[in-house]
Amino acid sequence: MAFAAPASTDLKTALGHIAEQARPGTMGIAVMNVADGRVVKVSGNRSYLMMSAFKAPIAAAVLARVDSGELKLDQRVRLVPGDVVPGSAVPSLGDQLKAGALDVSVEALLRAAVTQSDNTAADALLRLLGGGAVATHFLQSKGIAGMRIDMGERELGQRLNGFRSTEPSPARESALAAEQREKRGFEAVLASKVNTTTLDGAVAFLDKLQSGRLLSTSSTRMLLGMMTAQIIPNRLRSGLPAGFQLADKTGTDVTYQDRLGAWNDMGIITTPDGRRVIVAIFLSDSLATPKQADAWFAEIGRLVAASMH
């Protein structure tokens, strides 16, 4: 089978056209042919808010601790109702914790965080590591620059809502004051560098993962399996032909009024005969509807798959 390298002019032009449609939002796209390392990029000179896409690198940092013997997959982590962070693609740990404290294995937390995008599990894993700085240090130690993890889902959610801490909303806050606070928080997070990645950082993470340069063979297989089983199929995955496989992690920010904060997908596409391409797409501060954003991501999946004829 011939391979039409993703760095081809035709593919870059087509991807650029989709990115133009996303304006006034910014769509960053990177496609790398694993076989020869060639990359095509659109809007690659900035950082993008990862949102839940950061759960894959957090899981990698935890699995590295498993590889070193510092953690065990069957090790139990105590969670209490106060640990619940809203947000999951399916009925989550938060639902289970309504009945009281739980002892959850590290492996179960990993699967919940990556496959189900469970926020409670992600924050528990980050606490287990010792915080975002530890996860970022792991990435840097593996030569992954441009990707940083600063905080968990709870703290980021508070910032998006315009709070500097976990204090509840003021009891007598007016609707106008609440709207202004939420707008400030939304815009401040989008303008910040917290929990962000460059396209190069995302590609480097995925490349080192798929090539076995990030984790042991067993941990690599586990993380790629959890990413392949991700239950959100409506972005890149929905544009791929039958027989193509995708190991990915999506990420989604809240919508403020008509502004879509972040709509992301990053993953490794594998053809039926085993060839691989890495794709990272980060859509920031867009006026698109989620349905339109999904359509763009699916079209990118179709374009990339077509380039692998």
Side-chain angles (χ1 to χ4, degrees), residues 264-277:
N264 308 326
D265 200 355
M266 63 178 201
I268 304 151
I269 297 173
T270 305
T271 65
D273 62 355
R275 290 169 296 121
R276 286 179 171 177
V277 164

Side-chain angles (χ1 to χ4, degrees), residues 65-301:
R65 292 277 184 90
V66 173
D67 290 341
S68 69
E70 297 172 74
L71 291 174
K72 294 183 178 180
L73 289 173
D74 61 359
Q75 183 173 325
R76 296 283 166 169
V77 177
R78 171 58 61 104
L79 297 180
V80 299
D83 293 325
V84 173
V85 184
S88 175
V90 295
S92 62
L93 284 173
D95 290 336
Q96 298 175 50
L97 283 164
K98 289 176 182 176
L102 287 174
D103 291 325
V104 184
S105 72
V106 170
E107 182 174 358
L109 289 173
L110 287 165
R111 294 190 183 282
V114 177
T115 301
Q116 301 173 2
S117 208
D118 189 290
N119 288 345
T120 300
D123 278 17
L125 291 172
L126 205 54
R127 287 195 301 273
L128 195 61
L129 282 173
V134 177
T136 302
H137 177 73
F138 163 72
L139 296 169
Q140 292 172 342
S141 73
K142 294 294 185 175
I144 300 167
M147 179 179 282
R148 54 182 284 178
I149 297 169
D150 299 272
M151 62 192 66
E153 295 281 16
R154 184 190 300 276
E155 185 176 350
L156 185 64
Q158 291 290 326
R159 289 198 180 196
L160 282 164
N161 280 315
F163 295 113
R164 285 292 182 180
S165 67
T166 56
E167 292 298 318
S169 176
R172 297 184 179 180
E173 185 178 35
S174 69
L176 177 60
E179 180 181 337
Q180 292 172 337
R181 167 176 52 75
E182 290 168 4
K183 182 181 180 182
R184 286 194 303 270
F186 179 87
E187 293 180 340
V189 169
L190 287 184
S192 74
K193 296 290 186 182
V194 299
N195 286 13
T196 55
T197 187
T198 60
L199 294 179
D200 287 345
V203 168
F205 169 75
L206 293 167
D207 186 32
K208 288 178 184 291
L209 173 62
Q210 67 85 29
S211 65
R213 290 176 288 155
L214 197 63
L215 300 166
S216 70
T217 300
S218 60
S219 289
T220 298
R221 188 182 305 115
M222 175 176 285
L223 182 49
L224 288 174
M226 291 187 294
M227 292 167 67
T228 302
Q230 186 184 201
I231 63 170
I232 302 177
N234 55 345
R235 297 189 190 174
L236 264 173
R237 197 178 305 253
S238 63
L240 298 179
F244 280 62
Q245 188 179 77
L246 178 65
D248 69 324
K249 188 69 198 78
T250 58
T252 308
D253 186 14
V254 295
T255 299
Y256 174 77
Q257 295 183 343
D258 291 329
R259 295 166 65 183
L260 196 62
W263 203 260
N264 308 326
D265 200 355
M266 63 178 201
I268 304 151
I269 297 173
T270 305
T271 65
D273 62 355
R275 290 169 296 121
R276 286 179 171 177
V277 164
I278 288 167
V279 183
I281 316 170
F282 296 90
L283 177 60
S284 177
D285 199 4
S286 173
L287 296 178
T289 64
K291 183 178 180 179
Q292 176 62 73
D294 279 345
W296 287 331
F297 279 59
E299 179 61 18
I300 292 169

